[in-house]
């Protein structure tokens, strides 16, 4: 489960991507049930253009307040323990939770444009989620 990172994009192996897609198919309906129609980010069959259209329609209907939240470096600071506890409230399958924990703990190889390499994350790292694969916890 070694991933190579270039320009801060995680590239999962083919096996990881297949497993992540399967996990997404199983987990998405569980969490989608909690989301309101006003939420667009990282949702299936939702796009940024649809979000813009919804804001435009609301403005035409007389609404004047727009709320936008984008937390810088948020995915780098998510505590693994709290995230897994939150997921375990909705998912009881121990094998799935073990798989998610494994994806959180996998080391990531980063390569700079000059070719230098460094490893981040890993078993003893307790924060952050890998990004760029099917499953972004």
């Amino acid at each position: 489960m070694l991933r190579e990172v270039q320009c801060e994009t995680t590239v999962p192996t083919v096996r990881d991507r297949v497993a992540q897609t399967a996990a997404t198919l199983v987990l998405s309906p569980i969490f989608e049930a909690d989301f309101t129609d006003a939420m667009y980010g990282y949702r299936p069959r939702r796009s940024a253009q649809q979000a813009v259209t919804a804001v435009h329609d609301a403005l035409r209907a007389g609404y004047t307040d727009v709320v936008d939240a984008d937390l810088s470096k948020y995915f780098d600071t998510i505590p693994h323990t709290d995230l897994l506890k939150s997921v375990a409230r909705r998912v009881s399958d121990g094998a799935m939770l073990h798989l998610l924990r494994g994806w959180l703990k996998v080391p990531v190889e980063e390569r700079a444009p000059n070719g230098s390499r460094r490893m981040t994350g890993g078993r003893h790292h307790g924060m952050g989620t890998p990004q760029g694969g099917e499953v972004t916890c």
Side-chain angles (χ1 to χ4, degrees), residues 14-136:
V14 172
R15 291 165 73 183
D16 283 337
R17 187 163 298 279
V18 170
Q20 289 174 0
T21 300
T24 299
L25 291 172
V26 171
L27 295 174
S28 285
I30 295 169
F31 293 99
E32 276 292 316
D34 292 338
F35 297 149
T36 68
D37 284 339
M39 297 172 69
Y40 287 84
Y42 304 103
R43 305 266 316 269
R45 296 173 301 282
R46 298 280 178 127
S47 69
Q49 184 60 40
Q50 289 173 311
V52 170
T53 299
V55 169
H56 180 71
D57 291 345
L59 289 170
R60 289 181 44 189
Y63 293 93
T64 58
D65 295 330
V66 176
V67 177
D68 178 26
D70 187 8
L71 305 173
S72 177
K73 301 285 185 185
Y74 175 71
F75 288 102
D76 296 337
T77 62
I78 295 174
H80 294 175
T81 302
D82 294 338
L83 175 61
L84 290 169
K85 281 181 188 176
S86 180
V87 171
R89 285 194 282 274
R90 301 294 305 275
V91 176
S92 60
D93 185 312
M96 179 62 76
L97 295 171
H98 181 76
L99 185 60
L100 294 173
R101 185 178 302 107
W103 281 324
L104 289 172
K105 298 297 184 180
V106 69
V108 176
E109 179 181 315
E110 296 180 0
R111 289 191 184 183
N114 67 3
S116 65
R117 299 172 7 170
R118 78 178 179 137
M119 298 296 284
T120 60
R123 185 178 4 189
H124 301 293
H125 197 73
M127 299 179 81
T129 64
Q131 297 177 57
E134 280 299 315
V135 177
T136 301

